[in-house]
Amino acid sequence: MRFVSPLLKRVVYPSLATAGYFRSTKRSGLAVITYHGVLPPGYQRIDPGLDGSLVTADTFRRQLRFLKSNYNVISPEQLLSFCRNEWELPPRAVLLTCDDGLRNNLTEMLPLLQEEGLRCLFLVTGASAGDATAMLWYQELLLLLLLTPAGKFQLSEGGLEIAGFLGTRESRRSVWWSMVKRLSGIDAESRERFLSSAHSFFAVPRSQEHYDKYYPQVGRYFSLLKAAELKQLVAAGMSIGAHTLTHPILSEQPAELAWTEIVESRAVLESVTGQKVWAFAYPVGDSASVPPRIIAMVKDAGFTVAFTNVAGGLGTALPLHALPRVHVNADMNLSELEAHVSGFYAELHRAVS
């Protein structure tokens, strides 16, 4: 699939979309779409690891209008009723979700949802239950590595040692992801100490003001929602779900840490929103990061539904604690989105796998 994807994206999907093939599908079920946010006007992209899953306002508006015209966009509460066997899905049902809880969800995304009269399930981390300005730790780590001069490094903190070489942007991204996996395996406090140590080692101040000098829009749009801002989303009619406390890769964690990330995220978000948090999204959400033991934990924690980020679209199976989603990224055009939502992509992928 990797080798033919450019052909699919540029030729096959547009041709099938123009012919109306995707909209003629008889596939039933539900297509869950996941976003990560909307970019402000004039934003200059930094790196795919930071902003590759964010769409422009024009793209988001076009996608919302397309979905409204050709599918039945349901609300999060209707999904909950479906999961409880209290409501039947309409034909060509679509649900909107958004992960991470970045501040742009409030400043850029919410106005467009309101403009189109649509509701979204926002799956946020436990950091959004607090009042401190914060970034996702792995995004902060990427910015740090992008700003660091080229060369070898060896970091040691609290018994954890990580070494590597920072060269091209691609090599830095590879080192970054390796570090994300290693740091996911330790508790949040130890991870914070490691990040502070890394900033000292690379002589990069760990402050929002420093990053603002190089990436002025990062603080405004990539910091996480605070409690007061989370309440604004709720007041606007949006629903809130959990996305762990600190967004580690759960499969890299021992059972005790993973359980804490899952259970406590629900508790702190309910305390702020005053709503029952019944939905969960697995960080990263691919098959490698969501093994059966993690799915079992989420189910045992009492969540009604949980989402992955793979193989979504109409016609796919709907296991309640591993609901597949269509993951939207910056490069996904309208015909490609429809290929995924309609279930065509998942069916094609199964056929060639």
Side-chain angles (χ1 to χ4, degrees):
M1 291 292 287
R2 179 176 55 198
F3 300 105
V4 300
S5 59
L7 179 64
L8 288 171
K9 187 182 184 78
R10 297 168 189 166
V11 179
V12 177
Y13 293 156
S15 298
L16 293 176
T18 300
Y21 175 80
F22 296 137
R23 271 155 279 178
S24 68
T25 180
K26 303 299 183 182
R27 301 180 188 93
S28 59
L30 173 68
V32 184
I33 303 174
T34 180
Y35 291 94
H36 285 78
V38 173
L39 294 171
Y43 177 86
Q44 298 296 313
R45 292 190 182 273
I46 299 171
D47 187 272
L50 180 75
D51 49 33
S53 293
L54 305 183
V55 299
T56 66
D58 287 342
T59 295
F60 189 55
R61 183 183 290 108
R62 285 197 302 271
Q63 291 178 353
L64 293 182
R65 291 179 177 176
F66 170 79
L67 293 169
K68 283 175 58 178
S69 297
N70 297 284
Y71 295 84
N72 289 301
V73 183
I74 68 172
S75 71
E77 286 66 36
Q78 287 173 321
L79 171 67
L80 180 59
S81 294
F82 165 73
C83 294
R84 292 172 172 171
N85 295 314
E86 299 170 350
W87 185 74
E88 292 187 5
L89 291 171
R92 304 166 63 79
V94 169
L95 175 76
L96 303 176
T97 69
C98 181
D99 286 1
D100 291 350
L102 302 179
R103 191 168 185 271
N104 70 67
N105 297 170
L106 177 69
T107 60
E108 309 300 319
M109 191 173 182
L110 177 61
L112 295 175
L113 288 166
Q114 293 176 316
E115 180 183 308
E116 299 303 325
L118 295 174
R119 297 177 62 195
C120 180
L121 174 59
F122 288 90
L123 297 131
V124 307
T125 68
S128 291
D131 299 319
T133 299
M135 288 183 64
L136 287 168
W137 63 270
Y138 66 91
Q139 292 188 338
E140 180 186 0
L141 177 62
L142 177 59
L143 290 176
L144 170 64
L145 296 180
L146 292 177
L147 290 176
T148 299
K152 293 181 180 180
F153 72 91
Q154 183 171 355
L155 291 168
S156 179
E157 171 63 37
L160 178 63
E161 293 188 2
I162 299 179
F165 178 82
L166 300 176
T168 65
R169 182 171 287 259
E170 289 72 21
S171 71
R172 289 168 189 258
R173 198 177 298 123
S174 177
V175 169
W176 165 68
W177 192 243
S178 177
M179 293 178 71
V180 169
K181 290 181 177 180
R182 294 284 304 280
L183 292 172
S184 287
I186 60 179
D187 64 86
E189 291 184 0
S190 298
R191 191 186 308 131
E192 281 296 303
R193 288 195 294 269
F194 192 95
L195 286 173
S196 293
S197 178
H199 279 78
S200 298
F201 179 86
F202 291 124
V204 175
R206 194 180 186 189
S207 68
Q208 191 63 60
E209 292 76 18
H210 179 79
Y211 284 118
D212 285 345
K213 290 193 300 184
Y214 297 92
Y215 308 116
Q217 294 175 310
V218 164
R220 183 174 179 185
Y221 299 106
F222 287 86
S223 58
L224 296 170
L225 292 166
K226 301 179 185 179
E229 295 166 331
L230 192 62
K231 291 177 181 178
Q232 291 182 53
L233 280 181
V234 174
M238 302 298 141
S239 298
I240 303 301
H243 199 33
T244 70
L245 278 175
T246 63
H247 204 292
I249 302 174
L250 292 173
S251 59
E252 300 291 330
Q253 295 200 305
E256 183 178 352
L257 290 183
W259 179 253
T260 298
E261 286 281 347
I262 294 166
V263 174
E264 292 192 10
S265 63
R266 178 180 186 173
V268 297
L269 291 172
E270 287 183 343
S271 69
V272 168
T273 64
Q275 295 183 340
K276 184 173 177 59
V277 173
W278 48 269
F280 183 87
Y282 302 98
V284 182
D286 61 7
S287 56
S289 65
V290 190
R293 72 177 181 91
I294 297 297
I295 294 174
M297 283 187 188
V298 171
K299 185 176 181 179
D300 291 343
F303 287 97
T304 304
V305 64
F307 302 97
T308 66
N309 276 335
V310 293
L314 296 176
T316 55
L318 299 176
L320 291 187
H321 291 90
L323 271 182
R325 292 189 291 181
V326 174
H327 180 259
V328 177
N329 58 46
D331 298 325
M332 184 177 282
N333 59 38
L334 202 57
S335 62
E336 185 180 2
L337 173 66
E338 189 172 14
H340 282 263
V341 172
S342 69
F344 175 83
Y345 176 86
E347 187 175 279
L348 180 62
H349 190 270
R350 288 192 295 269
V352 300
S353 297

